[in-house]
């Protein structure tokens, strides 16, 4: 045979190599002749099959070189070793057609059922897991609008990919995607725009200074759809970045590998890859490995690059200069004890073997024969069209095809050793992997895993399973490790179908259990346990299934298996490198910048992280709630589920959370925000925003914008969110922001060009009032409430089980000195404390102070603990802890001196004094608004300086007090702390002083002292106690507390416990008789005492001034209230039997009854105006109009000559229509009281009138058996209807086009307003139809 050029010499050398191979095989035959003597052992049969295959392949090669005689001799020797005598065939012959893997879903070629001799294929399960193929995992794609903004780079990549593939008629596409392609294919401008966007993204990446992992992942995902110039520009950029970086950047390495894998054919040349490998070799030589984790990630990145090089058929590498340097790096990892790292290094080393170096003569000879698949790329890229059975057989002899026949001896010897090791139960895992650290020999498990990757990538799970079971290297431990890793990645990724994920778990369970098929290698078993443990830590049904599987593994009947499981649980593998759902990495702002969009997502990501970090270690018990204030507490439901359903509803817009102080409203609101952040989806996700309303100045005006500015969002970002995103506004503390306006309405939510948002808003129960819904319900532009869009829920107290759960969480998170059992015993021993503990915040206080009040197991010294006692103890404990913390802190010399001075005087006393003064200042200067903003430059010299300056003592006391700081805003840790501070400023039990009490006058005298009141039993015993005189500067003097029930609760408990405070309150009441400057204090004092349950029976209260006081449910029987100032006093449910109130001022007194109007004549009818501001009554033949704000009569509409029988308001409330016994219909102007129209036509009295919904037509029904329509624009009768009998009622349809009539003949007649004709007649009643409504 004559070859052109230098081929003659190549051919001769090739023939010499063939002869050498034949000699090698013959040597094997001589040394292993015993294998031909039956009965053969398993390892002997494996060896003989391998040698037979090698002779068979040698014969094929000899045939191709023209040595048919030698070929026939090789075929005969193959038969002697157990080969096929009828038709020898090359085991590495791969089909290039589509007949194998392109078969129907779930089917394979028939040859797969007949494994080749020597393949050591396993028994393939016919059912169980992976019984059908699935769609490969993909990221959801939604086509953009033509010329519209794209959400992210992945959407851009998907669009360009669809355009390239031109699948407009492909049935596999979703209808939206198919329609999008059809539209864009006819729009060349849109196509050019998308391509230009891709180019601009690459350029923006180059300009990006940060170039973080998100940016790299985004720009690389465009690789398959970039134009060639853009691709090569990006490749050069990544190469340059790696070359010039001080440290190896792992995201860059991974990005480079992905870029190579995604390259379009023809975009990437061998020279490019040679340069890349040269660069990696040079960088690795100079890189100091810092940790095992870093080494693993670096090796993983190198493996990806080498995989890509093998796939791309790179060749021409210089062995000494490149292979050796990379191998040197990988060889350093050979001795590590970390199995993850050793496996990855072995994998990388094998990948390097499949990146060909300089061509040898043998390779050139084989390439000319066309019988060798060139590189791993030949295996992987051809897998979609190759015969899977041929692929599996080819794995067994791939070494011959790629390294030369001279390696056959090593191949057969390795197979023999593998068989022996398996027969013995498995060799050491690390030793097995170390066999792969060789530059001389390739292992079949690497290309087998690469083939498995391609099958997985295409969702061919049926064939993947067959490959695993029938691969000749299936018992190789490196192969098993890699397969387990890939199964774990399927099971752990939410992008896969749930059934496929469960099947992957089942496959892992099978490998763990079935020792006969897979061996007993301990490290592989523990690797499986590690993978399953990670999957079980996820959420969802697959995780639950995995937990069940793990339980089965734990209880496996095999004692050795149980020992393996137990040893993993005790020791485990360190730093398991598993990462699930890497596709879910957040996108970068590159595309946003290209589209001139502000980087909103980065700001949202930072906010999300901050919120989730703040939430960590928060005690949270999911609360229960009831539907309304009137609902019983036992009719409760899970609040979180109810709110989630509200958020999913398209109708509801506002959800009101009502609860007592400390009920957990704020904690729940934060929990809701974090739950929503957990499920937040970028770009199209609804954004949760927790807004503390007291921190917003005038929240009734553009609240959302103000809040976002406080979070450092720019105006550009805010405009982007306002124009393109939806929000969930979680507004906390409506009662604390001094608001009475409807925030939903005043912020114009969901109106055109305004914020699109749902609102969840919280408010304390005691502050909402009777008509609270008007302040929260959505309404239309006329402020008419839309009840259907409103929902509410009321927190109910903790149940006993929730209290126990709270204690358990508290002990787990806070690690106190007491155990959960000791806390529960203490709570049960003090019933009043246990009852207080049903409130979450009071439960926290209880758990904090219990160790201070008693020892574990000790019987309590008090039988009743009140709220104010808890706060006393908590504040003192808080300040003591603050003192210890500051004492241990490194302070400046002046601060240390100040600390010592405060400590000498009593640090806790000074702290309480600071707390009181700050609380008083907040109420006095900010009307109780709890958030204080302090700027050193703007507020210098103001009242704020005394509390927030840098003065050492001020700083120390502020740091020790229960305050929180956010930016320049300060507030107490809970609103109730502010209220407690003011209550303690009003009366501090530690500060009352001794005085001599003045004797009182006799009871009944107008000047008698209130000290003589018989308030309660034993009051006289207080006369000699310490006493604190009324203070003219007390908050009781300058602030009414009547409408602050939480603060009043502290004071009423204090009055009940402290006789001195009770006496002080009585003095305020007494002094109001003489001087009106004490009237506010007196109103507060008597309100407190009534709430505390003190009776005022037979008490002389003549002349007291208590305007606005709340005396509800008080006992005032036989009390003297002559000439008392009782203006606007609440006397609801007060007992006033035989009390004397003559001469008392009682304007605006509330008796707990709704307003009433009294008339001399009969009342025939009454009606409210649509907006509720007017109330109209028919009496005495007149129309009386009242304003509902003060119930003053605004008009008496006179004009009818006889009594008025009926009235109705117009839809806008501006007019009233009336009918009368005088047979006329009149229309009145509400604003002026003028009669606008008088309609004459009926011949008998008018029975009812109605306005059309449009307000332009009035209908009237008369006893003259007619119904008339009056046109208000034309001022006359539009039409008359009569059916011959009496009409008892009528109603206009919502559209105003039909009037329904209820008739005496048992029928309902529909009258068409436009035509004036009857339409349908509804039959079915058996009596006259008296009333009717739409």
């Amino acid at each position: 045979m004559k070859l052109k050029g230098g081929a003659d010499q190549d051919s001769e050398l090739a023939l010499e190599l063939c002869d050498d191979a034949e000699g090698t095989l013959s040597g094997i035959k001589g040394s292993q002749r015993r294998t031909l003597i039956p009965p053969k052992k398993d390892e002997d049969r494996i060896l003989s099959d391998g040698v037979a295959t090698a002779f068979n392949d040698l014969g094929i090669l000899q045939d191709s070189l023209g040595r048919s005689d030698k070929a026939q001799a090789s075929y005969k020797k193959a038969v002697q070793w157990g080969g096929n005598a009828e038709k020898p065939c090359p085991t590495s012959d791969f089909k290039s057609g589509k007949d194998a893997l392109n078969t129907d879903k779930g089917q394979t070629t028939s040859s797969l059922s007949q494994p080749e001799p020597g393949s050591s294929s396993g028994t393939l399960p016919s059912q169980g897991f992976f019984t059908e193929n699935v769609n490969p995992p993909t990221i959801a794609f939604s086509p953009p609008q033509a010329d519209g903004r794209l959400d992210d780079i992945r959407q851009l990549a998907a669009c360009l990919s669809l355009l390239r593939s031109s699948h407009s008629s492909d049935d596999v596409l979703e209808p939206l995607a198919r329609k999008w392609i059809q539209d864009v294919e006819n729009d060349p401008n849109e196509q050019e725009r998308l391509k230009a966007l891709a180019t601009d993204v690459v350029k923006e990446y180059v300009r990006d200074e940060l170039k973080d992992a998100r940016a790299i992942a985004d720009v690389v995902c465009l690789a398959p759809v970039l134009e060639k110039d853009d691709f090569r520009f990006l490749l050069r950029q990544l190469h340059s970045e790696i070359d010039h970086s001080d440290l190896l950047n792992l995201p860059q390495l991974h990005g480079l590998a992905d870029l190579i894998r995604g390259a379009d054919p023809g975009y990437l040349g061998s020279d490019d890859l040679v340069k890349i490998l040269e660069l990696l070799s040079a960088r690795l030589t100079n890189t100091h490995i810092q940790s095992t984790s870093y080494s693993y990630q670096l090796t993983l990145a190198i493996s990806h690059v080498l995989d890509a090089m093998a796939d791309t058929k790179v060749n021409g590498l210089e062995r000494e200069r490149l292979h050796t340097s990379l191998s040197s790096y990988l060889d350093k990892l050979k001795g590590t004890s970390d199995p993850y790292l050793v496996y990855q290094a072995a994998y990388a080393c094998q990948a390097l073997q499949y990146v060909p170096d300089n061509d040898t003569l043998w390779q050139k000879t084989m390439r000319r024969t066309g019988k060798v698949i060139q590189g791993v790329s030949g295996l992987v890229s051809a897998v979609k069209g190759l015969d899977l059975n041929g692929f599996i057989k080819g794995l067994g002899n791939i070494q011959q095809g790629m390294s030369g026949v001279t390696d056959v001896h090593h191949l057969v010897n390795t197979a023999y050793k593998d068989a022996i090791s398996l027969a013995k139960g498995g060799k050491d895992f690390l030793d097995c992997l170390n066999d792969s650290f060789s530059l001389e020999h390739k292992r079949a498990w690497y290309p087998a895993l690469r083939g498995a990757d391609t099958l997985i990538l295409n969702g061919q799970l049926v064939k993947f399973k067959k490959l695993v079971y029938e691969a000749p290297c299936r018992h190789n431990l490196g192969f098993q490790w890699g397969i387990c890793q890939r199964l774990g990645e399927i099971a752990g990724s939410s992008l896969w179908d749930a059934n496929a994920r469960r099947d992957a778990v089942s496959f892992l369970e099978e490998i763990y259990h079935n020792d006969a098929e897979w061996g007993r290698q301990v490290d592989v078993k523990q690797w499986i346990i590690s993978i399953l443990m990670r999957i079980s830590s996820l959420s969802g049904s697959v995780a639950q299934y995995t937990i069940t599987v793990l339980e089965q593994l734990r209880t496996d009947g095999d004692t050795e298996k149980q020992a393996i499981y137990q040893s993993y649980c005790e020791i485990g593998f360190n730093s398991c490198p598993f990462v699930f759902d890497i596709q879910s990495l957040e996108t970068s702002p590159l595309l946003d910048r290209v589209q001139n969009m502000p980087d909103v997502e980065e700001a949202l990501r930072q906010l999300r992280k901050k919120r989730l970090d703040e939430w960590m270690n928060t005690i949270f018990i999911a609360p229960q709630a009831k539907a309304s204030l009137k609902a019983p507490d036992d009719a409760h439901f899970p609040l979180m589920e109810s709110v989630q359903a509200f958020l999913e509803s398209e109708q509801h817009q506002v959800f009101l959370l009502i609860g007592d102080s400390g009920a957990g409203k704020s904690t729940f609101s934060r929990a809701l925000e974090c739950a929503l952040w957990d499920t937040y989806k970028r770009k199209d996700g609804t954004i949760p925003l927790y807004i503390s309303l007291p921190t917003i100045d005038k929240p009734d005006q553009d609240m959302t914008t103000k809040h976002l500015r406080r979070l450092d969002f720019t105006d550009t970002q805010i405009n982007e969110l306002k124009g393109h995103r939806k929000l969930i506004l979680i507004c906390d503390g409506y009662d604390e922001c001094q608001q009475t306006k409807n925030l939903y309405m005043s912020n114009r939510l969901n109106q055109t060009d305004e914020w699109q948002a749902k609102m969840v808003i919280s408010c304390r129960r005691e502050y909402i009032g009777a008509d609270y819904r008007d302040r929260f319900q959505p309404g239309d532009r006329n402020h008419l409430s839309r009840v259907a869009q409103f929902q509410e829920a009321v927190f109910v107290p903790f149940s006993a089980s929730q209290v126990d759960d709270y204690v358990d969480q508290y002990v787990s998170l806070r690690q106190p000195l007491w155990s959960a059992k000791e806390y529960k015993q203490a709570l049960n021993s003090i019933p009043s404390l246990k009852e207080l503990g049903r409130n979450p915040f009071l439960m926290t206080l209880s758990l904090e102070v219990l160790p201070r009040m008693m020892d574990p197991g000790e019987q309590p010294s008090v039988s009743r603990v009140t709220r104010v006692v808890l706060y006393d103890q908590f504040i003192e404990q808080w300040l003591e802890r603050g003192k210890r913390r500051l004492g241990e802190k490194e302070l400046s010399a002046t601060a240390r001196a100040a600390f010592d001075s405060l400590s000498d005087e009593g640090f806790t006393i000074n702290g309480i004094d600071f707390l009181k003064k700050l609380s008083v200042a907040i109420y006095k200067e900010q009307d109780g608004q709890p958030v204080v903003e302090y700027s050193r430059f703007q507020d210098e010299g103001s009242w704020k300086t005394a509390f927030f300056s840098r003065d050492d003592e001020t700083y120390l006391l502020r740091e020790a007090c229960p305050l929180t700081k956010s930016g320049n805003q300060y507030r107490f840790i809970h609103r109730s702390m502010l209220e407690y501070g003011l209550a303690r400023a009003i009366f501090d039990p530690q500060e009352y002083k001794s005085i001599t009490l003045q004797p009182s006058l006799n009871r009944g005298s107008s000047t008698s002292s209130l000290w003589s009141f018989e308030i309660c039993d034993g009051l006289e015993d207080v006369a000699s106690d310490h006493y604190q005189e009324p203070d003219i500067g007390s908050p009781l003097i300058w602030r009414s507390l009547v409408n602050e029930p939480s603060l009043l609760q502290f004071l009423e408990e204090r009055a009940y416990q402290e006789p001195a405070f009770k006496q002080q309150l009585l003095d305020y009441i007494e002094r109001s008789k003489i001087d009106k400057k004490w009237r506010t204090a007196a109103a507060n004092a008597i309100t407190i005492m009534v709430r505390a349950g003190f009776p005022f029976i037979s008490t002389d209260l003549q002349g007291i001034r208590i305007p606005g006081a709340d005396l509800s449910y008080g006992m005032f029987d036989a009390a003297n209230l002559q000439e008392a100032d009782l203006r606007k006093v609440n006397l609801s449910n007060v007992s006033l039997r035989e009390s004397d109130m003559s001469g008392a001022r009682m304007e605006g007194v509330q008796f707990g009854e709704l307003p009433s109007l009294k008339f001399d004549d009969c009342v025939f009818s009454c009606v409210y105006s649509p907006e509720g501001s007017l109330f109209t009554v028919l009496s005495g033949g007149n129309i009386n109009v009242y304003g509902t704000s003060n119930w003053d009569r605004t008009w008496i509409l006179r004009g009818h000559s006889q009594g008025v029988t009926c009235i109705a308001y117009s839809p806008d409330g501006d007019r009233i229509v009336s009918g009368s016994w005088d047979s006329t219909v009149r229309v009145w102007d509400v604003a002026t009281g003028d009669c606008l129209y008088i309609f004459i036509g009926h011949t008998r009295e008018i029975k009812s009138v109605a306005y059309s919904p449009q307000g332009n037509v009035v209908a009237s029904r008369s006893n003259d058996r007619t119904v008339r329509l009056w046109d208000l624009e034309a001022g006359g009768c539009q039409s008359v209807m009569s059916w011959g009998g009496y009409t008892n009622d009528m109603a206009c349809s919502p559209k105003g086009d039909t009037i329904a009539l209820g008739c005496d003949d048992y029928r309902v007649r529909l009258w068409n307003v436009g035509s004036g004709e009857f339409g349908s007649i509804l039959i079915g009643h058996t009596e006259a139809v008296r009333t009717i409504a739409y």
Side-chain angles (χ1 to χ4, degrees), residues 98 161 273 282 303 503 540 543 886 923 965 988 992 1001 1252 1262 1320:
K98 299 182 180 179
S161 178
L273 297 173
S303 300
D503 284 353
L886 291 170
Y923 271 93
K965 181 183 178 183
D988 191 335
Y992 60 83
L1001 298 177
S1252 70
S1262 171
S1320 301

Side-chain angles (χ1 to χ4, degrees), residues 803-812 815-828 847 850:
V803 169
D804 287 344
D805 290 344
Y806 193 96
V807 173
D808 292 337
Q809 277 197 40
Y810 177 87
V811 172
S812 175
Q815 299 292 313
L817 295 177
W818 282 22
S819 67
K821 181 179 179 181
E822 290 168 336
Y823 273 117
K824 293 174 185 177
Q825 287 176 344
L827 289 172
N828 289 329
L847 299 180
L850 267 174

Side-chain angles (χ1 to χ4, degrees), residues 384-417:
K384 292 183 181 179
L386 70 86
D387 179 351
L388 181 58
N389 192 39
F391 177 79
I392 294 172
K393 290 188 294 182
L395 291 173
N397 295 296
I398 194 169
Q399 285 88 342
Q400 298 100 304
M402 292 187 173
S403 298
V405 176
T406 54
D407 288 336
V408 169
H409 180 277
H410 179 80
L411 168 71
V412 175
N413 191 41
T414 299
Y416 180 73
K417 290 180 179 179

